[in-house]
Amino acid sequence: MKRLVTLAALAVACTFAGWAGQVPRPAPPLLVPTPTGERIILADLKGKVVLVKFFLTDCPHCQTSAGTIMPIYKEWRSRGLEVLGVAINPDARRLLPDFARRFNVTYPMGMGDRLTLTTFADLSAVARFFVPYIFLVDRKGVIRYEHPGGDQAFYANEGPNLRTELETLLKEPVSTAGRKSNAKKAPPKS
């Protein structure tokens, strides 16, 4: 009996370990269409710290989270913060404009679905999850923090927790590798 209980506990632990993504890890590709027909590509935001939030427009916790994120976005956008909201409602295209108006959201938002979230989160396609589901991606395109909606300790104090983690990422230097410099080279000394 003891062996059976141990095996069952191990099976449950392995199942959940297989569902959870490890951090840090490279952010997978993410393409988010907007209601206006534009496409936001996460890779195009490399060099910025990106808060990616998956949500439902009718979720009260997601609505509260939008109110928490907006002041941070306004305050730190000039420091290199970008926010990307991904609504996973089946009718998100229709619902997003009203959501933006009602909750004064000015950060970019687009549409996704359950598969978009489970793929980005490195979850099993059948995994159960709660929203909002927030990821913080560093300037190099690496997911450094991940907060599923069930992370009660994080969401109970969401604003200060986000500020602490974002501050850490925003203090990291912007990589200049691969960027063209406008600075002129000094002539060689003779």
Side-chain angles (χ1 to χ4, degrees), residues 30-52:
L30 180 63
L31 183 142
V32 180
T34 69
T36 60
E38 298 173 67
R39 298 175 344 152
I40 303 166
I41 301 169
L42 180 61
D44 291 348
L45 300 174
K46 210 172 233 185
K48 295 184 177 199
V49 172
V50 184
L51 184 159
V52 179

Side-chain angles (χ1 to χ4, degrees), residues 3 9 19 22 41 52-53 57 78 80 86-87 102 112 121 141 144 175:
R3 183 171 183 219
W19 285 356
Q22 300 294 314
I41 301 169
V52 179
K53 174 186 163 184
T57 59
S78 64
V86 184
R102 285 181 55 214
R144 298 274 294 280
S175 172

Side-chain angles (χ1 to χ4, degrees), residues 75-109:
E75 181 181 345
W76 287 352
R77 185 173 186 201
S78 64
R79 290 181 58 196
L81 173 65
E82 189 56 75
V83 175
L84 175 56
V86 184
I88 60 172
N89 304 62
D91 50 352
R93 179 178 303 279
R94 181 181 61 79
L95 296 171
L96 273 174
D98 182 59
F99 181 87
R101 276 189 299 278
R102 285 181 55 214
F103 300 101
N104 299 311
V105 173
T106 60
Y107 52 79
M109 292 188 295

Side-chain angles (χ1 to χ4, degrees), residues 68-174:
T68 300
I69 292 170
M70 269 310 301
I72 297 170
Y73 176 64
K74 286 179 181 178
E75 181 181 345
W76 287 352
R77 185 173 186 201
S78 64
R79 290 181 58 196
L81 173 65
E82 189 56 75
V83 175
L84 175 56
V86 184
I88 60 172
N89 304 62
D91 50 352
R93 179 178 303 279
R94 181 181 61 79
L95 296 171
L96 273 174
D98 182 59
F99 181 87
R101 276 189 299 278
R102 285 181 55 214
F103 300 101
N104 299 311
V105 173
T106 60
Y107 52 79
M109 292 188 295
M111 296 85 62
D113 56 22
R114 178 184 174 78
L115 183 60
T116 307
L117 183 136
T118 57
T119 300
F120 195 80
D122 196 24
L123 296 171
S124 161
V126 297
R128 181 176 176 184
F129 58 84
F130 298 97
V131 290
Y133 203 128
I134 292 177
F135 300 86
L136 300 181
V137 181
D138 70 15
R139 298 180 191 274
K140 296 176 185 173
V142 175
I143 297 172
R144 298 274 294 280
Y145 298 97
E146 180 173 340
H147 299 289
D151 185 350
Q152 292 177 358
F154 175 81
Y155 287 102
N157 206 16
E158 182 181 5
N161 289 335
L162 275 176
R163 286 181 178 278
T164 298
E165 293 172 355
L166 287 168
E167 184 70 34
T168 298
L169 298 179
L170 288 166
K171 284 182 178 177
E172 294 176 354
V174 177

